[in-house]
């Protein structure tokens, strides 16, 4: 319960949590951000880690406090998500089929199945769309590997989605970082970001539910 509270605090109050980490770890904060984003992207067992909200907060701090450099963040986070996507893809390719056939407590099979159904409907575009959808973006590269999507095709959609996601989240935080409303209502803004990013998945689930009810 304490660990859960810790992660919720990081997600919703990253504007106060990150500065404390910066004071404590100074330049090592870049490595910490790299590790969090890499794990959130590259390991199917850590979809709960913060993504959108963390990048938005990092951009905000880079703008309002100057303790983070926006261009260093852009490069660092791109490397983290590129490495994470590739790790997840090859893990999915080599051991994914075994995981699909096992009932593992730490891997939500329903999320894997939902992500697989997205691939069947939207193809490679899922990698771009999923980058803006928490949880699903963690499973998308893994499922792409399981489905034996060609690596060149995977790479092109992955790089496009990553560039869009990183720039949208970081620059949104950077440009709004000095806005008084954002600084005062950061938690509400973070919640809005999370809700908006989850809306495609929620609409997809609702549509699937309604279709099952009709049939």
């Amino acid at each position: 319960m304490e660990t859960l509270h810790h992660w919720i605090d990081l997600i919703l109050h990253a504007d106060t949590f990150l500065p404390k980490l910066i004071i404590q770890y100074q330049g090592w904060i870049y490595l910490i951000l790299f590790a969090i984003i890499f794990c959130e992207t590259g390991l199917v067992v850590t979809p709960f880690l913060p993504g959108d909200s963390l990048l938005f907060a990092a951009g905000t701090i880079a703008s309002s406090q100057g303790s983070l450099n926006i261009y260093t963040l852009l490069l660092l986070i791109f490397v983290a998500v590129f490495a994470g996507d590739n790790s997840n893809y090859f893990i999915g390719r080599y051991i994914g089929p075994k995981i699909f056939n096992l009932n593992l407590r730490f891997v939500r099979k329903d999320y894997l199945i939902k992500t697989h159904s997205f691939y069947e409907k939207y193809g490679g575009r899922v990698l771009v769309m999923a980058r803006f959808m928490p949880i699903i973006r963690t499973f998308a590269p893994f499922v792409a590997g399981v489905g034996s999507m060609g690596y060149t095709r995977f790479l092109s959609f992955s790089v496009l989605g990553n560039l869009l996601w990183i720039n949208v989240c970081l620059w949104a935080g950077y440009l709004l970082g000095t806005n008084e409303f954002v600084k005062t209502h950061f938690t509400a803004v973070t919640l809005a970001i999370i809700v908006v990013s989850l809306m495609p998945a929620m609409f997809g689930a609702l549509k699937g539910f309604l279709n099952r009810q009709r049939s």
Side-chain angles (χ1 to χ4, degrees):
M1 184 63 69
E2 184 177 348
T3 302
L4 178 62
H5 177 77
H6 176 80
W7 287 116
I8 292 175
D9 188 54
L10 173 58
I11 293 171
L12 297 182
H13 306 289
D15 60 323
T16 56
F17 196 87
L18 266 182
K20 293 177 183 177
L21 288 179
I22 293 171
I23 293 172
Q24 184 174 357
Y25 296 103
Q26 299 182 11
W28 290 101
I29 188 63
Y30 288 108
L31 182 60
I32 293 172
L33 292 174
F34 180 97
I36 292 174
I37 297 299
F38 171 80
C39 292
E40 195 256 0
T41 302
L43 304 176
V44 291
V45 296
T46 52
F48 54 84
L49 290 174
D52 311 271
S53 58
L54 186 64
L55 295 192
F56 182 81
T60 299
I61 292 171
S63 172
S64 60
Q65 300 180 24
S67 48
L68 293 172
N69 182 278
I70 186 66
Y71 298 105
T72 302
L73 287 171
L74 287 166
L75 177 60
L76 182 85
I77 300 303
F78 176 78
V79 174
V81 294
F82 180 84
D85 267 5
N86 278 269
S87 298
N88 221 344
Y89 174 85
F90 286 108
I91 290 172
R93 170 157 289 191
Y94 292 112
I95 69 170
K98 297 178 182 178
I99 292 179
F100 258 109
N101 295 324
L102 295 175
N103 186 23
L104 300 178
R105 186 179 62 178
F106 52 85
V107 175
R108 290 288 298 272
K109 192 171 182 179
D110 54 329
Y111 289 150
L112 292 173
I113 294 172
K114 184 179 295 184
T115 307
H116 182 70
S117 68
F118 277 12
Y119 270 111
E120 290 183 335
K121 184 174 183 180
Y122 297 108
R125 289 175 295 168
V126 169
L127 286 167
V128 178
M129 298 164 57
R131 179 48 62 185
F132 293 87
M133 301 164 68
I135 298 178
I136 290 179
R137 69 165 159 262
T138 304
F139 293 104
F142 179 86
V143 175
V146 174
S148 298
M149 175 187 286
Y151 181 68
T152 302
R153 187 162 183 261
F154 162 80
L155 195 62
S156 60
F157 282 107
S158 171
V159 169
L160 175 61
N162 291 339
L163 286 173
L164 288 172
W165 181 64
I166 293 166
N167 277 277
V168 167
C169 292
L170 283 176
W171 284 114
Y174 188 83
L175 296 174
L176 296 173
T178 56
N179 183 278
E180 196 59 39
F181 178 85
V182 173
K183 290 193 290 186
T184 306
H185 303 88
F186 187 87
T187 300
V189 172
T190 301
L191 282 172
I193 292 171
I194 294 172
V195 170
V196 170
S197 60
L198 285 173
M199 284 178 67
M202 291 188 292
F203 281 130
L206 178 60
K207 185 177 179 181
F209 173 78
L210 292 175
N211 288 338
R212 287 194 297 271
Q213 292 296 105
R214 291 170 187 160
S215 60

